[in-house]
Amino acid sequence: MNSTIAQLRTRFEAALGAAFGEDFAATDPILVPASNPKFGDFQSNVAMSLTKKLGKAPRAIAEQIVQQLQVEEICEPPTIAGPGFINLTLKTAYLEEQLRSIAADERLGVAPIKQPQRVIVDFSAPNTAKEMHVGHLRSTIIGDSIARVLEFQGQDVLRLNHIGDWGTQFGMLITYLQTAFPDALITANALALGDLTTFYKQAKQRFDEDEAFRDASRLAVVRLQSGDEDALKAWQLLCEQSRIAYQEIYDLLDIQLVERGESFYNPLLPGVVEDLEKAGLLVEDQGAQCVFLEGFTNKEGEPLPLIVQKSDGGYNYAATDLAAIRYRIQQDHADRIIYVTDAGQANHFAQVWQVARRAGWIPDTVELVHVPFGFVQGEDGKKFKTRSGETVRLRDLLDEAIARARADLEARLKEDNRQESEEFIANVANVIGISAVKYADLSQNRTSNYIFSYDRMLALQGNTAPYMLYAYVRVQGISRKGQIDFKRLDSDAQILLKEETELVLAKHLLQLDEVIEQVGQDLFPNRLCQYLFELSQKYNQFYDRLPILQAAEPIRTSRLVLCDLTARTLKLGLSLLGIQVLERM
Ligand code: ARG
């Protein structure tokens, strides 16, 4: 099925061609949903945009377009307003027919993409031996949602975890491991290492205080890079211990990722240097191999170098990303690569891409996208920290959200005198807690900072996960009360839209594919959140104002189909945000 707006666009293009000649058929009809329902459902501003080109008044242009516009089965006769807006109102019969068709479709009218692309989503990417912080939480939640949307569209998605598992810090960590935990090395038991954050801090302290330790650390890096067995074993143990900690978070959040850390690209780095050399881009500067960047300068206005290989022969974060991009295009055949990191890395990616482009690695058809996001702030507006000023452990943060969701639920049960099993309580608390955290993050425009507030994210009212989950539960309540099996509702049941609230809900339900397409394009999951929030509000108005189970047939069945469609849309939409629904809560 083609979305309504897409169909209207095609009709406009035809009308523009017929009115002003074939050249105009390629004009963007500038068709948008009407800002105010009193103007109808859609509005085209194309007449205003053509005044110069056609040398006519916009109203006259609008009239000419409307004369040619063939939309009878979709819209009421178009009207012209103001300077030359063309307003369109969808016909009720058309809406009824569209709803019937999406109700009968598993995918709710969202057709799979015709030519799937190979898309890499690079997200999460914590750093080995360091605790995953809230920035990684954002990357994980946003990246997962983007991957889910693209997967649902039918894209061929590769979810990559570019873990920071390589670099000079491992010299220090290995040396500390060998001195402080020799037993762990012998038994190769990652768990014997315990909490890696403490481990990291202790290693760092030792490094800062002890010169002999520093020297040993430097040697350890060299040993690791030359493939020394003991050094590798220690490194693997550290990676393994980190992996256990990350996996716990991924399990809790239901995140799938393929690990391809920085170390993976290590053997490919000399090839990168060679390629850049051949492309004539490499310049030696104070012993380091660099590429001088175009459009990036230092304070003195001199061109900035991107260091590919340091004077000691070592490589850095940027070099690894060069190897990664080359590999992803040459071996993975990526058509689109999406990097989900904090906004602070925008320059890093712009520089890496520039070098990769100049080296000729990036075909014109490949799209590189940075998906930046802002900081998570505490309720005081400052950086998100524990009371004692420590970084918040993700595990603790999620546990706290679940515990609070549980306390809220238990209070509600008590108030309503409801008895529920421990299993029910634990599951509901878990789903609400996790989805509240995810939704609070996703519902913000990701480029801005947001304030982390348990109270706000867990509220039953407002643009929150619990509000949305509750709308879904309300529909399931109808099915229980009326003993209705939605799945068996006649898929050919007639849909009748008589009341304003029905029409409003119906029109919103039909916008799902447009929203998904938009998110797949612009990668802003908050648009999907906003859509679902409005859907819940519109459903609640419909539910509050109109009888459903008490209505007479055929209205009753028609309204039940609207209920079911709302629930299915919520369930699908939330699943694309990585949020699971509940039948009861
Ligand atoms: N490990 C990095 C960090 O913690 C993120 C890596 C993002 N991906 C990449 N290809 N550079 O900020």
Side-chain angles (χ1 to χ4, degrees), residues 122-128 130 133 135-136 139 160-165 260 262 265 317-318 320-322 324-325 328 337-342 345 348-349 352 373:
D122 174 326
F123 71 104
S124 192
N127 302 311
T128 296
K130 290 194 193 165
H133 56 68
H136 296 121
S139 174
L160 287 185
N161 200 358
H162 191 83
I163 291 188
D165 64 354
R260 211 192 261 169
E262 294 180 13
Y265 302 99
Y317 186 54
T320 307
D321 260 322
L322 282 171
I325 203 167
R328 289 167 183 184
I337 311 179
I338 297 167
Y339 299 83
V340 188
T341 77
D342 62 283
Q345 300 195 34
H348 161 76
F349 288 113
V352 166
F373 52 79

Side-chain angles (χ1 to χ4, degrees), residues 570-582:
L570 281 172
K571 185 174 181 174
L572 172 62
L574 289 170
S575 81
L576 301 181
L577 302 172
I579 293 173
Q580 212 183 313
V581 291
L582 292 162

Side-chain angles (χ1 to χ4, degrees), residues 53-66:
K53 213 163 161 192
L54 291 168
K56 284 188 198 171
R59 252 197 112 90
I61 298 173
E63 269 155 30
Q64 264 181 290
I65 297 172
V66 166

